[in-house]
Amino acid sequence: MKYIEPHAHMVSRVTDDYVRMATAGCQAICEPAFWAGFDRSSAAGFYDYFCQLTEHEPKRAAKFSLPHFSWLCINPKESEDVKLAEEVVAIIPNFLGRANVLGIGEIGLNKNSRNEMRVLEMHVDLAARENQLILVHTPHLEDKLKGTRLILDVIKSDKRIRPERVIIDHVEEHTVKLVLDTGMWAGMTLYPESKCTPARAIDIVDVYGNERIWMNCACDWGVSDPLAVPKTALEMRRRGHSTEAIDKLVFQNPRQFLSQCPKFKLG
């Protein structure tokens, strides 16, 4: 089985996880900029982080024959400080030409605050000006539906953004149709205990189909499993889904979306 890991925070993972993913059939890893486990205090900290994502992490992945791609932004959890966000957004264009950078992400909202909205708009404007793909983080739990609506309104209001070049991640049962109806892509982030479990993800596919939907493993600081996608594929097989349907969801769909960036190529 082949699969693409479209949303892995590998800087928070040990090297053994690369070995496990390569052994399980992973063909590429796409790592979005995210929270470091603590709030960074300066744009210089983000500059170093972007160097890590675009220079050092690809070298670590390459040791296991895994192509490594990245997305760049200031994460919603650190978007309350608008001045810092402005400084970070200003340095991102220096990195957009690097060989493994796919676009802007994971942008979005955390607590749906006014400052987060301002920073979201700054990122969307940057993506539009630089013709970049967009990867979006939606809030957790009770803020998710409201936050998803706010995010979709911001993106739809910018007529320079083509919806098929946007992926809205962390969808759940109550937000997936909202996203798909806009023409954007929907991402399901698989967690062992929270967000979307493998069983729930397959239920969503059974209801809403497999067009413009992909699954991704949660690879982060908390309880998460870098092999959640292949494990979910096995559960799909157990439920009677065809080999072609599984391949579409875990490999063909992410490849279709990511290939909109000419830098995304598989060997």
Side-chain angles (χ1 to χ4, degrees), residues 53-224:
L53 285 176
T54 59
E55 298 172 20
H56 306 293
E57 204 60 35
K59 292 177 183 176
R60 186 163 72 119
K63 292 177 182 178
F64 309 98
S65 301
L66 282 170
H68 178 283
F69 299 92
S70 63
W71 306 75
L72 303 177
C73 73
I74 178 170
N75 191 274
K77 283 178 71 71
E78 295 172 273
S79 293
E80 207 50 56
D81 186 336
V82 176
K83 184 176 183 302
L84 173 61
E86 288 173 345
E87 294 173 357
V88 174
V89 170
I91 66 175
I92 290 175
N94 299 326
F95 292 88
L96 291 178
R98 298 199 172 182
N100 77 325
V101 176
L102 298 173
I104 304 300
E106 54 174 345
I107 63 175
L109 298 174
N110 181 44
K111 296 181 179 178
N112 299 336
S113 71
R114 184 172 299 176
N115 284 351
E116 290 174 7
M117 286 287 289
R118 172 72 190 112
V119 175
L120 170 62
E121 291 166 352
M122 289 162 44
H123 279 111
V124 171
D125 175 68
L126 173 62
R129 286 187 284 112
E130 298 284 348
N131 193 30
Q132 298 290 315
L133 298 178
I134 295 177
L135 169 63
V136 177
H137 164 94
T138 50
H140 307 290
L141 303 174
E142 67 273 7
D143 294 320
K144 183 173 290 290
L145 182 59
K146 177 183 177 182
T148 300
R149 285 176 171 150
L150 290 170
I151 290 165
L152 294 176
D153 286 346
V154 168
I155 295 173
K156 287 189 295 183
S157 69
D158 193 321
K159 301 307 179 186
R160 297 170 296 175
I161 302 294
R162 287 160 42 199
E164 70 273 14
R165 290 173 56 83
V166 180
I167 175 106
I168 308 292
D169 210 0
H170 317 322
V171 300
E172 296 182 11
E173 292 86 348
H174 60 309
T175 60
V176 60
K177 186 175 187 300
L178 195 65
V179 170
L180 292 174
D181 284 349
T182 67
M184 300 178 203
W185 285 67
M188 296 183 291
T189 307
L190 304 169
Y191 273 84
E193 299 177 355
S194 62
K195 287 187 184 168
C196 207
T197 62
R200 287 173 60 196
I202 303 170
D203 289 344
I204 289 172
V205 171
D206 285 343
V207 173
Y208 295 101
N210 61 7
E211 294 297 329
R212 283 184 290 112
I213 287 181
W214 75 22
M215 297 187 298
N216 53 79
C217 305
C219 304
D220 59 32
W221 305 103
V223 177
S224 53

Side-chain angles (χ1 to χ4, degrees), residues 40-50 91:
R40 284 160 281 218
S41 59
S42 69
F46 281 90
Y47 184 93
D48 290 342
Y49 176 48
F50 296 157
I91 66 175

Side-chain angles (χ1 to χ4, degrees), residues 13-28:
R13 310 303 301 192
V14 298
T15 300
D16 285 356
D17 286 329
Y18 279 118
V19 178
R20 295 166 63 210
M21 293 169 77
T23 304
C26 185
Q27 301 294 300

